[in-house]
């Protein structure tokens, strides 16, 4: 298991990253979640990931909940327990209801099935899908 | 590569499935895409998958484009070329602009990175995420 | 794409491996399938893989078709196109009928769904399953 | 971790699913395993999965143990800990001996190696395998 | 298949990225490989990936060939055909001999086997490995 | 969780395997790590894996640390927690510094991104990469 660094014990570079996240989420930096406490020992990776997350979740054409659902879909496909737990919580905070979650899971499971089907039956891509 | 069965050559059970899909999409059944032409030789799997897709994409709390993006996210994570090609086309048909696609990819790639990071650093799930 | 080495052009170590496989399958060594033509350039990997395959498919408590279905199930889960094509052909040669193939796919797809479900819902292992 | 719902606390739809499974396995519904206790909160997914499992494991051309081994093979390939634990137990109950398990693992590991080999060396599918 | 944009037809942002890569590799920008011709239509993703690659392959404590082998190992595990082809070529350019490639594959395949073994047998992490 | 067999309780075949590993690592056989304690119940798989590991890590053209990093890269890509923990420890023992680990992770994460990018954008392999 990762050795976690509490906010008060973080080096300045790590603290700066957490400060940015805490401010954006309007939470106490000391309440930052474990992934950042683990990353605090790896400042290059930490800064790059924080930057990539900030850019990915910056306001844009897709609303915040849709982005969380995309993140969660990838995490379920990749079977990342931490990400499922943390981004499931995020999705709920951003408005995912139980009904939405049921629909989300229905699509994820249909996709899983579709993915394996077309591989198992070795389906060639339609010409119509090549021209985009 | 799968041996594809054209609509006119399908058995009644397969034809019925394609008729249902073609009607819902308001397309000519003869223009059905390859996955269904391949599945036509496997009627049990075909009917079950068609049923699961219909249920997953039935009108609900998540809009049709969001569902396509969730499907596409799973397909990218699973590296299913056919699904990426076909559901990429579907997403565009349902309103995905280039800007949305850029944002989609940014989230998918951030998720991929997050998934691997927490595994590599062996991050334990926060107690706060357990209670949901 | 791999540069394939035809049997007649193989070095003695590779030829010996192919001879063993051809004999066991009662085929002409020149008709060996591509994976071995590709492996011919990598004799250490080739010998070790041939040995592992021979041991895995040696007569035992599981019948030859069951072993092929296990191999095929892993290959579908891993989305290995070559392996799906080649071991699908092998399974047919060893007696897999269309009905069996339908049942095989039904189990594979149910397993895929089960695998993702328990990860997504974060299901803990039952105490009863720990004691084996 | 999933919040588990005990049988006595399940809603009627979930109870009905568990009743069906318990009857088929001739066990007490209260002794149902965790995946169903977790799914009880997700009735649509639960019903669909129970139905798919019932169909996949219905009597047919493949015997019950072979089906369990196929399920287990997918679960090992997908690294699903819960499924490995639960379907490993199921396989034993359906007659898998230690010798069979050794052979099963030998085939799974050979398949894993074969899958990666052909991808790494980029082996093209033989023409002979295309025509099926 | 991706629509590729040739260097002469790229927008300035994409051209700038390719110029940087071409300079570092001392090649003609027109000879840039396909991934960049595909990314040219996705400038945000392109710039971020180019930046991440530059940082990852910047001179450091690990030599350039070791880094290529790490990249190639991930690509084989993930079964990315393009990446296996392109980074296999890169590795050769940076000094990977056939003997090294044999050893590389031996380690990759041993790792694949080890990964599946410990999952299949559900091996708990040693206390000694937790304290790092 | 696997039932672990302590060295003193192992059957002769398992003991012989552990003796070989312990001697090579110059450790007390009783201090062998869990994977071998779990494998002790599966002697065929155990012997074959021990043999494959010995061959993969035998002195050669790639130095021991490079081999560990390749093993670790595969394990991160495959998300094998035990392997990440154990081979992370091994890599440190063989000289991996924190700086090297940062660089390792940077390459692994860049590879993960590259792998998904080329699949998502469906990038065709360059003709130049085919001819090797």
């Amino acid at each position: 298991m990762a050795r976690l660094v509490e906010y008060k014990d973080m080096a300045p570079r790590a603290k700066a990253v957490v400060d940015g996240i805490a401010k954006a989420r309007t939470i106490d930096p000391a309440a930052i979640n474990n992934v950042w406490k683990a990353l605090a020992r790896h400042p290059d990776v930490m800064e790059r990931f924080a930057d990539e997350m900030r850019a990915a979740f910056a306001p844009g054409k897709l609303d915040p909940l849709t982005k969380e659902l995309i993140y969660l879909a990838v995490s379920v496909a990749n079977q990342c327990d931490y990400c499922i737990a943390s981004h499931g919580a995020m999705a709920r905070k951003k408005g995912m209801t139980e009904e939405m979650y049921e629909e989300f899971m229905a699509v994820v499971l249909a996709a899983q099935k579709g993915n394996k089907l077309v591989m198992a039956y070795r389906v060639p891509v339609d010409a119509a899908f090549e021209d985009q």
Side-chain angles (χ1 to χ4, degrees), chain A residues 35-83:
Chain A
V35 64
W36 303 105
K37 292 181 185 174
L39 284 170
R41 297 171 61 212
H42 309 285
D44 286 350
V45 175
M46 186 192 206
E47 286 177 356
R48 192 170 285 275
F49 182 51
D51 178 57
E52 188 160 348
M53 287 294 278
R54 198 182 309 120
F57 284 91
K61 298 300 180 189
L62 299 176
D63 64 274
L65 178 54
T66 297
K67 290 186 175 182
E68 280 297 341
L69 295 177
I70 292 166
Y71 199 106
L72 194 57
V74 171
S75 302
V76 172
N78 283 340
Q79 303 187 168
C80 175
D81 186 52
Y82 183 87
C83 311

Short mmCIF file of all heavy atoms in Angstrom, two decimals, chain A residues 35-83:
data_model
loop_
_atom_site.label_atom_id
_atom_site.label_comp_id
_atom_site.label_asym_id
_atom_site.label_seq_id
_atom_site.Cartn_x
_atom_site.Cartn_y
_atom_site.Cartn_z
N VAL A 35 -5.26 9.66 -3.30
CA VAL A 35 -4.40 9.63 -4.48
C VAL A 35 -3.38 10.76 -4.44
O VAL A 35 -2.21 10.58 -4.79
CB VAL A 35 -5.21 9.64 -5.80
CG1 VAL A 35 -5.99 10.91 -5.99
CG2 VAL A 35 -4.29 9.39 -6.99
N TRP A 36 -3.79 11.93 -3.96
CA TRP A 36 -2.86 13.07 -3.89
C TRP A 36 -1.87 12.91 -2.75
O TRP A 36 -0.73 13.38 -2.85
CB TRP A 36 -3.65 14.38 -3.81
CG TRP A 36 -4.58 14.52 -4.97
CD1 TRP A 36 -5.94 14.35 -4.96
CD2 TRP A 36 -4.21 14.77 -6.34
NE1 TRP A 36 -6.43 14.49 -6.24
CE2 TRP A 36 -5.40 14.75 -7.10
CE3 TRP A 36 -2.99 15.01 -6.99
CZ2 TRP A 36 -5.41 14.96 -8.49
CZ3 TRP A 36 -3.00 15.23 -8.37
CH2 TRP A 36 -4.20 15.20 -9.09
N LYS A 37 -2.30 12.26 -1.66
CA LYS A 37 -1.37 11.99 -0.55
C LYS A 37 -0.30 10.98 -0.99
O LYS A 37 0.82 11.01 -0.48
CB LYS A 37 -2.15 11.44 0.66
CG LYS A 37 -3.09 12.45 1.30
CD LYS A 37 -3.80 11.84 2.51
CE LYS A 37 -4.84 12.81 3.07
NZ LYS A 37 -5.64 12.18 4.16
N ALA A 38 -0.66 10.11 -1.89
CA ALA A 38 0.32 9.15 -2.41
C ALA A 38 1.23 9.83 -3.44
O ALA A 38 2.45 9.62 -3.46
CB ALA A 38 -0.39 7.96 -3.04
N LEU A 39 0.63 10.66 -4.28
CA LEU A 39 1.40 11.33 -5.33
C LEU A 39 2.37 12.37 -4.76
O LEU A 39 3.33 12.75 -5.45
CB LEU A 39 0.46 12.00 -6.34
CG LEU A 39 -0.22 11.05 -7.32
CD1 LEU A 39 -1.30 11.78 -8.11
CD2 LEU A 39 0.81 10.46 -8.29
N ALA A 40 2.12 12.80 -3.54
CA ALA A 40 2.97 13.84 -2.95
C ALA A 40 4.44 13.43 -2.94
O ALA A 40 5.34 14.28 -2.95
CB ALA A 40 2.50 14.16 -1.53
N ARG A 41 4.69 12.12 -2.94
CA ARG A 41 6.08 11.64 -2.96
C ARG A 41 6.64 11.59 -4.38
O ARG A 41 7.81 11.24 -4.58
CB ARG A 41 6.16 10.25 -2.34
CG ARG A 41 5.76 10.24 -0.86
CD ARG A 41 5.63 8.83 -0.33
NE ARG A 41 6.89 8.12 -0.42
CZ ARG A 41 6.98 6.80 -0.63
NH1 ARG A 41 5.90 6.07 -0.80
NH2 ARG A 41 8.15 6.22 -0.70
N HIS A 42 5.83 11.91 -5.36
CA HIS A 42 6.24 11.82 -6.77
C HIS A 42 5.86 13.11 -7.49
O HIS A 42 4.94 13.13 -8.31
CB HIS A 42 5.55 10.62 -7.43
CG HIS A 42 5.73 9.35 -6.66
ND1 HIS A 42 6.91 8.66 -6.64
CD2 HIS A 42 4.89 8.66 -5.84
CE1 HIS A 42 6.79 7.59 -5.85
NE2 HIS A 42 5.58 7.57 -5.36
N PRO A 43 6.56 14.20 -7.17
CA PRO A 43 6.10 15.53 -7.61
C PRO A 43 5.98 15.72 -9.13
O PRO A 43 5.06 16.40 -9.58
CB PRO A 43 7.15 16.48 -7.01
CG PRO A 43 8.31 15.64 -6.62
CD PRO A 43 7.79 14.27 -6.35
N ASP A 44 6.85 15.12 -9.92
CA ASP A 44 6.75 15.29 -11.37
C ASP A 44 5.45 14.68 -11.88
O ASP A 44 4.70 15.30 -12.64
CB ASP A 44 7.93 14.63 -12.10
CG ASP A 44 9.22 15.43 -11.95
OD1 ASP A 44 9.16 16.56 -11.45
OD2 ASP A 44 10.28 14.89 -12.32
N VAL A 45 5.22 13.43 -11.50
CA VAL A 45 4.00 12.76 -11.92
C VAL A 45 2.78 13.51 -11.39
O VAL A 45 1.79 13.70 -12.09
CB VAL A 45 4.01 11.29 -11.43
CG1 VAL A 45 2.69 10.61 -11.76
CG2 VAL A 45 5.17 10.52 -12.06
N MET A 46 2.89 13.96 -10.14
CA MET A 46 1.77 14.66 -9.49
C MET A 46 1.37 15.92 -10.25
O MET A 46 0.20 16.14 -10.55
CB MET A 46 2.18 15.02 -8.06
CG MET A 46 1.05 15.63 -7.23
SD MET A 46 1.71 16.34 -5.70
CE MET A 46 0.26 16.22 -4.64
N GLU A 47 2.37 16.76 -10.54
CA GLU A 47 2.08 18.02 -11.23
C GLU A 47 1.48 17.77 -12.61
O GLU A 47 0.54 18.43 -13.03
CB GLU A 47 3.36 18.85 -11.37
CG GLU A 47 3.81 19.48 -10.08
CD GLU A 47 5.11 20.26 -10.20
OE1 GLU A 47 5.72 20.23 -11.30
OE2 GLU A 47 5.52 20.87 -9.21
N ARG A 48 2.05 16.80 -13.31
CA ARG A 48 1.58 16.52 -14.66
C ARG A 48 0.14 15.98 -14.63
O ARG A 48 -0.69 16.36 -15.45
CB ARG A 48 2.51 15.53 -15.36
CG ARG A 48 2.27 15.40 -16.86
CD ARG A 48 3.37 14.60 -17.53
NE ARG A 48 4.59 15.36 -17.69
CZ ARG A 48 4.83 16.18 -18.70
NH1 ARG A 48 3.92 16.34 -19.66
NH2 ARG A 48 5.95 16.85 -18.76
N PHE A 49 -0.15 15.11 -13.69
CA PHE A 49 -1.50 14.54 -13.59
C PHE A 49 -2.50 15.62 -13.18
O PHE A 49 -3.60 15.71 -13.74
CB PHE A 49 -1.51 13.37 -12.61
CG PHE A 49 -2.85 12.69 -12.49
CD1 PHE A 49 -3.54 12.26 -13.62
CD2 PHE A 49 -3.44 12.48 -11.24
CE1 PHE A 49 -4.79 11.62 -13.51
CE2 PHE A 49 -4.68 11.85 -11.12
CZ PHE A 49 -5.34 11.43 -12.26
N ALA A 50 -2.12 16.44 -12.21
CA ALA A 50 -3.02 17.52 -11.76
C ALA A 50 -3.33 18.45 -12.93
O ALA A 50 -4.48 18.88 -13.12
CB ALA A 50 -2.39 18.30 -10.61
N ASP A 51 -2.31 18.75 -13.70
CA ASP A 51 -2.49 19.63 -14.85
C ASP A 51 -3.41 19.00 -15.89
O ASP A 51 -4.30 19.65 -16.45
CB ASP A 51 -1.11 19.93 -15.46
CG ASP A 51 -1.21 20.81 -16.68
OD1 ASP A 51 -1.76 21.92 -16.56
OD2 ASP A 51 -0.76 20.37 -17.76
N GLU A 52 -3.21 17.71 -16.12
CA GLU A 52 -4.03 17.01 -17.12
C GLU A 52 -5.49 16.91 -16.66
O GLU A 52 -6.41 17.05 -17.46
CB GLU A 52 -3.45 15.62 -17.37
CG GLU A 52 -4.12 14.91 -18.52
CD GLU A 52 -3.29 13.77 -19.09
OE1 GLU A 52 -2.08 13.64 -18.77
OE2 GLU A 52 -3.85 13.00 -19.90
N MET A 53 -5.68 16.67 -15.37
CA MET A 53 -7.04 16.58 -14.82
C MET A 53 -7.74 17.95 -14.91
O MET A 53 -8.90 18.03 -15.29
CB MET A 53 -7.01 16.12 -13.36
CG MET A 53 -6.67 14.67 -13.19
SD MET A 53 -7.95 13.55 -13.86
CE MET A 53 -9.13 13.55 -12.50
N ARG A 54 -7.01 19.00 -14.58
CA ARG A 54 -7.57 20.35 -14.62
C ARG A 54 -8.02 20.68 -16.05
O ARG A 54 -9.14 21.15 -16.26
CB ARG A 54 -6.51 21.37 -14.17
CG ARG A 54 -7.08 22.72 -13.77
CD ARG A 54 -5.96 23.68 -13.39
NE ARG A 54 -5.06 23.11 -12.41
CZ ARG A 54 -3.74 22.91 -12.58
NH1 ARG A 54 -3.14 23.29 -13.71
NH2 ARG A 54 -3.01 22.35 -11.64
N ALA A 55 -7.17 20.37 -17.00
CA ALA A 55 -7.51 20.65 -18.41
C ALA A 55 -8.70 19.79 -18.85
O ALA A 55 -9.62 20.28 -19.52
CB ALA A 55 -6.30 20.38 -19.30
N ALA A 56 -8.70 18.52 -18.46
CA ALA A 56 -9.78 17.62 -18.90
C ALA A 56 -11.12 18.04 -18.32
O ALA A 56 -12.16 17.92 -18.99
CB ALA A 56 -9.45 16.18 -18.50
N PHE A 57 -11.10 18.55 -17.10
CA PHE A 57 -12.36 18.90 -16.45
C PHE A 57 -12.65 20.41 -16.49
O PHE A 57 -13.58 20.87 -15.83
CB PHE A 57 -12.39 18.38 -15.01
CG PHE A 57 -12.65 16.89 -14.95
CD1 PHE A 57 -11.62 15.96 -14.95
CD2 PHE A 57 -13.96 16.42 -14.95
CE1 PHE A 57 -11.86 14.59 -14.94
CE2 PHE A 57 -14.22 15.05 -14.93
CZ PHE A 57 -13.18 14.13 -14.92
N ALA A 58 -11.89 21.14 -17.27
CA ALA A 58 -12.17 22.58 -17.44
C ALA A 58 -13.52 22.76 -18.12
O ALA A 58 -13.94 21.90 -18.89
CB ALA A 58 -11.06 23.22 -18.28
N PRO A 59 -14.23 23.84 -17.79
CA PRO A 59 -15.54 24.08 -18.43
C PRO A 59 -15.40 24.02 -19.94
O PRO A 59 -14.41 24.51 -20.50
CB PRO A 59 -15.90 25.49 -17.97
CG PRO A 59 -15.11 25.70 -16.72
CD PRO A 59 -13.84 24.93 -16.90
N GLY A 60 -16.37 23.40 -20.59
CA GLY A 60 -16.30 23.26 -22.04
C GLY A 60 -17.66 22.92 -22.60
O GLY A 60 -18.68 23.36 -22.09
N LYS A 61 -17.67 22.12 -23.65
CA LYS A 61 -18.91 21.77 -24.33
C LYS A 61 -19.63 20.61 -23.63
O LYS A 61 -20.84 20.46 -23.77
CB LYS A 61 -18.61 21.39 -25.79
CG LYS A 61 -17.99 22.52 -26.60
CD LYS A 61 -18.90 23.73 -26.66
CE LYS A 61 -18.27 24.86 -27.48
NZ LYS A 61 -19.04 26.12 -27.35
N LEU A 62 -18.86 19.76 -22.97
CA LEU A 62 -19.48 18.66 -22.23
C LEU A 62 -19.66 19.10 -20.79
O LEU A 62 -18.75 19.69 -20.20
CB LEU A 62 -18.60 17.41 -22.28
CG LEU A 62 -18.32 16.81 -23.66
CD1 LEU A 62 -17.35 15.63 -23.55
CD2 LEU A 62 -19.60 16.37 -24.36
N ASP A 63 -20.82 18.80 -20.22
CA ASP A 63 -21.05 19.25 -18.84
C ASP A 63 -20.27 18.39 -17.85
O ASP A 63 -19.83 17.29 -18.17
CB ASP A 63 -22.55 19.21 -18.52
CG ASP A 63 -23.09 17.82 -18.56
OD1 ASP A 63 -23.46 17.37 -19.67
OD2 ASP A 63 -23.12 17.15 -17.50
N PRO A 64 -20.06 18.90 -16.62
CA PRO A 64 -19.21 18.21 -15.63
C PRO A 64 -19.66 16.78 -15.33
O PRO A 64 -18.81 15.89 -15.18
CB PRO A 64 -19.34 19.09 -14.37
CG PRO A 64 -19.70 20.44 -14.89
CD PRO A 64 -20.53 20.21 -16.11
N LEU A 65 -20.95 16.53 -15.26
CA LEU A 65 -21.40 15.17 -14.94
C LEU A 65 -21.07 14.21 -16.09
O LEU A 65 -20.63 13.08 -15.85
CB LEU A 65 -22.91 15.15 -14.63
CG LEU A 65 -23.47 13.75 -14.35
CD1 LEU A 65 -22.70 13.03 -13.24
CD2 LEU A 65 -24.95 13.84 -13.98
N THR A 66 -21.29 14.66 -17.31
CA THR A 66 -20.96 13.80 -18.46
C THR A 66 -19.49 13.41 -18.41
O THR A 66 -19.13 12.26 -18.66
CB THR A 66 -21.28 14.54 -19.78
OG1 THR A 66 -22.69 14.79 -19.82
CG2 THR A 66 -20.88 13.71 -21.00
N LYS A 67 -18.64 14.38 -18.08
CA LYS A 67 -17.21 14.08 -18.00
C LYS A 67 -16.93 13.04 -16.89
O LYS A 67 -16.11 12.14 -17.08
CB LYS A 67 -16.41 15.36 -17.76
CG LYS A 67 -16.41 16.27 -18.99
CD LYS A 67 -15.50 17.48 -18.81
CE LYS A 67 -15.44 18.28 -20.11
NZ LYS A 67 -14.52 19.45 -20.00
N GLU A 68 -17.61 13.18 -15.77
CA GLU A 68 -17.41 12.20 -14.70
C GLU A 68 -17.85 10.81 -15.16
O GLU A 68 -17.22 9.80 -14.82
CB GLU A 68 -18.21 12.58 -13.44
CG GLU A 68 -17.56 13.63 -12.57
CD GLU A 68 -16.21 13.20 -11.97
OE1 GLU A 68 -15.91 12.00 -11.93
OE2 GLU A 68 -15.45 14.10 -11.59
N LEU A 69 -18.93 10.74 -15.90
CA LEU A 69 -19.43 9.44 -16.36
C LEU A 69 -18.46 8.80 -17.36
O LEU A 69 -18.28 7.58 -17.38
CB LEU A 69 -20.82 9.59 -16.96
CG LEU A 69 -21.91 10.03 -15.98
CD1 LEU A 69 -23.24 10.22 -16.71
CD2 LEU A 69 -22.07 9.05 -14.83
N ILE A 70 -17.85 9.63 -18.19
CA ILE A 70 -16.83 9.13 -19.13
C ILE A 70 -15.64 8.58 -18.34
O ILE A 70 -15.13 7.50 -18.63
CB ILE A 70 -16.39 10.26 -20.09
CG1 ILE A 70 -17.54 10.63 -21.04
CG2 ILE A 70 -15.15 9.84 -20.88
CD1 ILE A 70 -17.33 11.93 -21.80
N TYR A 71 -15.22 9.35 -17.33
CA TYR A 71 -14.10 8.91 -16.48
C TYR A 71 -14.44 7.60 -15.79
O TYR A 71 -13.63 6.66 -15.74
CB TYR A 71 -13.79 9.99 -15.43
CG TYR A 71 -12.42 9.89 -14.81
CD1 TYR A 71 -11.42 10.80 -15.14
CD2 TYR A 71 -12.11 8.90 -13.88
CE1 TYR A 71 -10.14 10.72 -14.58
CE2 TYR A 71 -10.84 8.82 -13.30
CZ TYR A 71 -9.87 9.74 -13.66
OH TYR A 71 -8.60 9.65 -13.10
N LEU A 72 -15.64 7.53 -15.27
CA LEU A 72 -16.08 6.33 -14.54
C LEU A 72 -16.19 5.13 -15.49
O LEU A 72 -15.83 4.00 -15.11
CB LEU A 72 -17.44 6.63 -13.88
CG LEU A 72 -17.93 5.66 -12.81
CD1 LEU A 72 -16.95 5.53 -11.66
CD2 LEU A 72 -19.29 6.15 -12.27
N ALA A 73 -16.65 5.36 -16.70
CA ALA A 73 -16.77 4.28 -17.69
C ALA A 73 -15.41 3.67 -17.99
O ALA A 73 -15.25 2.44 -18.02
CB ALA A 73 -17.41 4.81 -18.97
N VAL A 74 -14.41 4.52 -18.18
CA VAL A 74 -13.05 4.02 -18.42
C VAL A 74 -12.56 3.24 -17.20
O VAL A 74 -11.95 2.17 -17.33
CB VAL A 74 -12.09 5.20 -18.72
CG1 VAL A 74 -10.63 4.74 -18.74
CG2 VAL A 74 -12.46 5.86 -20.04
N SER A 75 -12.86 3.73 -16.02
CA SER A 75 -12.38 3.10 -14.79
C SER A 75 -13.02 1.74 -14.56
O SER A 75 -12.37 0.82 -14.05
CB SER A 75 -12.65 4.02 -13.59
OG SER A 75 -12.02 5.27 -13.78
N VAL A 76 -14.29 1.60 -14.92
CA VAL A 76 -14.94 0.29 -14.81
C VAL A 76 -14.34 -0.66 -15.84
O VAL A 76 -13.99 -1.80 -15.52
CB VAL A 76 -16.47 0.39 -15.00
CG1 VAL A 76 -17.10 -1.00 -15.07
CG2 VAL A 76 -17.10 1.20 -13.87
N ALA A 77 -14.16 -0.18 -17.07
CA ALA A 77 -13.57 -1.03 -18.11
C ALA A 77 -12.18 -1.50 -17.69
O ALA A 77 -11.81 -2.64 -17.91
CB ALA A 77 -13.51 -0.28 -19.44
N ASN A 78 -11.42 -0.60 -17.05
CA ASN A 78 -10.06 -0.94 -16.62
C ASN A 78 -10.02 -1.59 -15.25
O ASN A 78 -8.94 -1.93 -14.76
CB ASN A 78 -9.19 0.32 -16.59
CG ASN A 78 -8.76 0.76 -17.97
OD1 ASN A 78 -8.77 -0.02 -18.91
ND2 ASN A 78 -8.40 2.03 -18.10
N GLN A 79 -11.16 -1.72 -14.61
CA GLN A 79 -11.22 -2.38 -13.30
C GLN A 79 -10.32 -1.73 -12.27
O GLN A 79 -9.59 -2.40 -11.55
CB GLN A 79 -10.89 -3.87 -13.45
CG GLN A 79 -11.79 -4.58 -14.42
CD GLN A 79 -11.63 -6.08 -14.48
OE1 GLN A 79 -12.45 -6.76 -15.06
NE2 GLN A 79 -10.58 -6.65 -13.89
N CYS A 80 -10.39 -0.41 -12.17
CA CYS A 80 -9.59 0.33 -11.17
C CYS A 80 -10.48 0.62 -9.97
O CYS A 80 -11.31 1.54 -10.00
CB CYS A 80 -9.06 1.63 -11.79
SG CYS A 80 -8.20 2.64 -10.57
N ASP A 81 -10.28 -0.15 -8.90
CA ASP A 81 -11.16 -0.06 -7.74
C ASP A 81 -11.15 1.34 -7.13
O ASP A 81 -12.21 1.90 -6.84
CB ASP A 81 -10.74 -1.10 -6.69
CG ASP A 81 -11.72 -1.15 -5.54
OD1 ASP A 81 -12.93 -1.29 -5.80
OD2 ASP A 81 -11.30 -1.05 -4.37
N TYR A 82 -9.97 1.90 -6.94
CA TYR A 82 -9.90 3.24 -6.33
C TYR A 82 -10.67 4.26 -7.17
O TYR A 82 -11.42 5.08 -6.65
CB TYR A 82 -8.43 3.69 -6.20
CG TYR A 82 -8.33 5.02 -5.50
CD1 TYR A 82 -8.26 5.08 -4.12
CD2 TYR A 82 -8.36 6.22 -6.21
CE1 TYR A 82 -8.20 6.29 -3.46
CE2 TYR A 82 -8.31 7.44 -5.57
CZ TYR A 82 -8.23 7.48 -4.19
OH TYR A 82 -8.20 8.68 -3.54
N CYS A 83 -10.47 4.20 -8.49
CA CYS A 83 -11.08 5.18 -9.39
C CYS A 83 -12.60 5.02 -9.43
O CYS A 83 -13.34 6.00 -9.53
CB CYS A 83 -10.52 5.02 -10.80
SG CYS A 83 -8.71 4.96 -10.79
#
